[in-house]
Structures are given as C-alpha cells and as structure tokens.
Amino acid sequence: MGYYVEVEKNVKIYVEDLNPKGEKTILFLHGWPGNHKLFEYQFNQLPKMGYRCIGIDQRGFGESDKPFDGYDYDRLSDDVRGVVDALKLKDFTLAGHSTGGAIAIRYMARHKEYGVCKLALFAAAAPSLIQRPYFPYGLPKQAVDDIIKGTYNDRPNMLRGFGDIFYFQHKTGAFSDWVFKLGLQASSWGTAATANTWLDEERLFYDLGMISVPTLIIHGIHDKVCLFPLGQAQNQGIKNSRLVPFEFSGHASFFDEKDRFNSVLASFIEE
C-alpha cells in the first residue's frame, strides 16, 4: 500500500509499504534520479519471503513533493528519520543504493543509527562520488558538472545517457528507457540540486567511522557511476562491514544479478 508522510511543513514523502505484517523490515532508499520503483524485483520477491519492504521516494523524486530546496544529505536523512518516526520502525535494515546509500550513511551518523540493526549499501555514492586531492577513485568533477549542465539545458538527453551506463548485463533499449522514464518523474531542480550535493559533500568520510552495526556492501565491479573502489573505501571505513563484489553487475546489481542480490541480502539479514 502507498501513503504519504509529512516530514516538514508542506513537504510530504511518498511511502510504498509492502507486507506490513512481515517479521523483519527493510527500508529501501533509492538512487538518483529514480524512485522506489527501482527496487521492483526486490518488492516482487522479498515480501514472499516474509519481509516487510518499505520504499520511499526522496523529496523531488517519484511521487513525493518537490520543494525547491532541501537536497543536502542532512535534510534528506532527516526526511528518512521523519518516515522512521511516523511508522515507529525499530530493528530494521536500512538499505541504500547510490545516492540513497550516501543518505543512509548520513542517517547512521546524524541520527546515531536510530532504529537500525543492520545496514546494506548497494553501489553507494560514498565516501565521495567525485575525485578529490586525497581521494582519486571517484568520477572526474567535470563529469558531474556536465550532468548538472545537462539537467538545465537538455534533461531528457542527460537522462538518456545515464540510462545507457546504468546496467552491465541489461543494456537493451527497454531497460534504458525504463530508467529514463523514472528520471523524468523527478523535478529538474531536485535532480540538479542532488547532483550538486555530490560536489559539496565531504563529511561522509567521517560518517563511515560512526557506523557500528553489521554492514553489507554490494558493489558491481563494472559500475561506471560509482566506481568499484568506492565500495572498497566503504569496506575500509566501516569497521563491521563485508564487501561482496558482483562480477556481472554495473550500477544496478539488483537487476543485473537480481536472484543473487536477493539471496545475499536475505542471508545477511538472517545472520
């Protein structure tokens, strides 16, 4: 079922809540520029295995409200806390993909792991999506500048290019079209502002050290968005973490290797 949670005045976040009576809960945070529908295959299968699966659309994306501001990781993690409080969630697994993974990491540090018993990161955009003098493993800053410029000048073309590098195995036009259409559901201002956060945000390096719960890191070795060394850096920075490389995945292991992905995630939750 779907409903809305007001996280601040005049800003409502869309929540998809499947199998509310499930014994264990997974809260999914989607990546840029999609929405909760990116986890379609997980929502098809994991509730059958007894899990409560909750997907939220970040502000500016999907079916959530689209205010003009509030796209830094602090505010986005506060939005997550608003949903956690409204649903009274406890002992849940927080799962984040790409930018959603960065938001999950900020939530763990800023909100002191509130309610979370385990953390799962999928191709997370952390500790830095872009290259920095002390961190040479991300994308060139120019690549993000081009995304922001493309968002303002020709967003459909920018999204088309992003969809083309999203997958490793599923490179058919249909899959690229699907990501393209999910991206069009977002606001242009939220799309650009979130990308700008990638440039501004450096505190995730510190945040990694604040995480104490068991952490699963799934990262495709062919990822062209959040390069594989980011997963290795997360593994080094989070003390109680395990990195599981996905040899046949790009940025979307939850589709490139969907059966293995679900199996690895479920096994981690049951440990």
Side-chain angles (χ1 to χ4, degrees):
M1 60 179 176
Y3 47 82
Y4 286 88
V5 170
E6 189 170 46
V7 293
E8 65 174 345
K9 188 176 180 180
N10 298 324
V11 179
K12 293 185 177 69
I13 296 296
Y14 179 77
V15 178
E16 189 76 47
D17 191 350
L18 298 170
N19 193 25
K21 295 182 180 179
E23 196 170 310
K24 296 182 180 180
T25 298
I26 313 169
L27 176 58
F28 288 88
L29 307 180
H30 66 82
W32 178 100
N35 53 54
H36 76 278
K37 293 178 181 177
L38 280 172
F39 296 112
E40 178 176 301
Y41 189 77
Q42 286 62 55
F43 293 166
N44 285 344
Q45 300 299 325
L46 292 172
K48 296 178 185 176
M49 299 163 65
Y51 296 107
R52 179 185 185 184
C53 292
I54 302 171
I56 70 174
D57 287 349
Q58 293 156 26
R59 64 169 63 205
F61 296 83
E63 297 179 54
S64 287
D65 286 347
K66 298 171 173 62
F68 195 70
D69 52 18
Y71 297 95
D72 60 280
Y73 289 151
D74 282 356
R75 180 62 253 182
L76 293 169
S77 71
D78 290 351
D79 289 350
V80 176
R81 177 61 185 267
V83 173
V84 170
D85 287 345
L87 275 58
K88 297 180 172 58
L89 300 181
K90 296 179 180 178
D91 298 323
F92 64 93
T93 297
L94 182 60
H97 170 245
S98 195
T99 297
I103 296 166
I105 291 168
R106 176 56 46 81
Y107 178 92
M108 298 298 283
R110 181 173 171 85
H111 295 281
K112 299 178 172 58
E113 305 184 328
Y114 182 81
V116 178
C117 64
K118 292 187 177 182
L119 176 67
L121 303 172
F122 322 133
S128 176
L129 183 68
I130 65 165
Q131 296 170 359
R132 302 184 188 277
Y134 51 88
F135 188 75
Y137 305 112
L139 297 174
K141 178 179 179 293
Q142 185 62 48
V144 175
D145 288 337
D146 289 345
I147 285 174
I148 295 171
K149 186 183 299 183
T151 300
Y152 287 128
N153 294 333
D154 189 345
R155 188 163 67 108
N157 186 61
M158 181 279 294
L159 290 171
R160 175 67 71 198
F162 187 75
D164 287 344
I165 64 170
F166 203 72
Y167 303 98
F168 175 66
Q169 294 197 58
H170 298 290
K171 297 179 180 178
T172 63
F175 269 94
S176 181
D177 286 349
W178 187 57
V179 174
F180 172 74
K181 289 174 182 176
L182 292 183
L184 285 177
Q185 293 175 22
S187 64
S188 56
W189 52 91
T191 300
T194 303
N196 198 66
T197 296
W198 303 334
L199 300 177
D200 296 338
E201 184 57 67
E202 297 185 55
R203 215 162 12 112
L204 291 172
F205 287 92
Y206 170 79
D207 291 346
L208 294 178
M210 303 290 287
I211 297 170
S212 65
V213 303
T215 300
L216 170 68
I217 301 166
I218 292 177
H219 215 109
I221 66 171
H222 302 286
D223 197 327
K224 294 181 179 179
V225 182
C226 296
L227 307 182
F228 186 71
L230 270 63
Q232 295 173 312
Q234 294 157 29
N235 187 209
Q236 292 172 359
I238 302 173
K239 48 183 170 284
N240 192 12
S241 66
R242 177 170 77 249
L243 172 62
V244 181
F246 271 44
E247 294 83 1
F248 306 102
S249 289
H251 194 52
S253 54
F254 44 86
F255 263 99
D256 275 331
E257 297 181 75
K258 54 186 182 291
D259 292 330
R260 184 186 178 210
F261 180 96
N262 284 355
S263 175
V264 169
L265 178 58
S267 295
F268 168 70
I269 294 171
E270 295 304 321
E271 288 176 358

